[in-house]
Amino acid sequence: QVQLVESGGGLVQPGGSLRLSCQASGFIVDYYSIGWFRQVPGKEREGVSCISDSDDDTFYADSVKGRATISRDSAKNTIFLQMNSLKPDDTAIYYCAAKKGTAAWCTQTFEYDYWGQGTPVTVSA
């Protein structure tokens, strides 16, 4: 059974750090492109970061560039999103998504076949 389970979210103060995890089962993440997305109530789900299946090329949205790092741990079949210098605008539910092979438009939701249930991140003093 294909499954993605996010974890690591929570309440942090502005300037703090968080490491989000996406544990995959039922498929091998090495052969998939993986995206991290976030969504705020009343707004569309937006792409945050993604990593390619083929060459580990990464992408970061301008809003998190320099503050976020996406990585893949093949041994654990897990994808991580490390976020530093968190801002209140980072508050959202964060989702990971997977697509077999290469995602031509890795920041677009329609590219992905599998989604997790999300983990909430709240950045507030």
Side-chain angles (χ1 to χ4, degrees):
Q1 184 69 38
V2 171
Q3 190 173 29
L4 295 167
V5 179
E6 302 96 335
S7 62
L11 174 64
V12 295
Q13 293 187 336
S17 297
L18 218 53
R19 189 183 75 160
L20 307 182
S21 299
C22 177
Q23 176 69 57
S25 59
F27 68 97
I28 305 300
V29 299
D30 290 0
Y31 306 127
Y32 284 70
S33 295
I34 307 296
W36 280 99
F37 294 78
R38 66 188 183 187
Q39 188 167 27
V40 176
K43 299 183 67 176
E44 295 183 355
R45 191 169 299 185
E46 64 173 337
V48 176
S49 180
C50 43
I51 185 168
S52 172
D53 68 304
S54 57
D55 56 7
D56 282 348
D57 277 351
T58 57
F59 168 85
Y60 300 94
D62 288 342
S63 58
V64 303
K65 192 169 297 182
R67 302 187 296 117
T69 303
I70 189 171
S71 61
R72 176 191 283 115
D73 187 327
S74 298
K76 297 182 181 297
N77 209 38
T78 300
I79 304 92
F80 300 98
L81 182 69
Q82 176 72 41
M83 298 192 68
N84 303 319
S85 301
L86 286 162
K87 305 174 180 180
D89 284 349
D90 294 319
T91 296
I93 299 176
Y94 284 72
Y95 302 86
C96 66
K99 172 190 174 65
K100 188 175 183 179
T102 301
W105 292 274
C106 72
T107 63
Q108 301 300 309
T109 58
F110 69 79
E111 282 280 354
Y112 294 90
D113 303 306
Y114 308 108
W115 291 84
Q117 295 300 306
T119 185
V121 171
T122 301
V123 184
S124 175

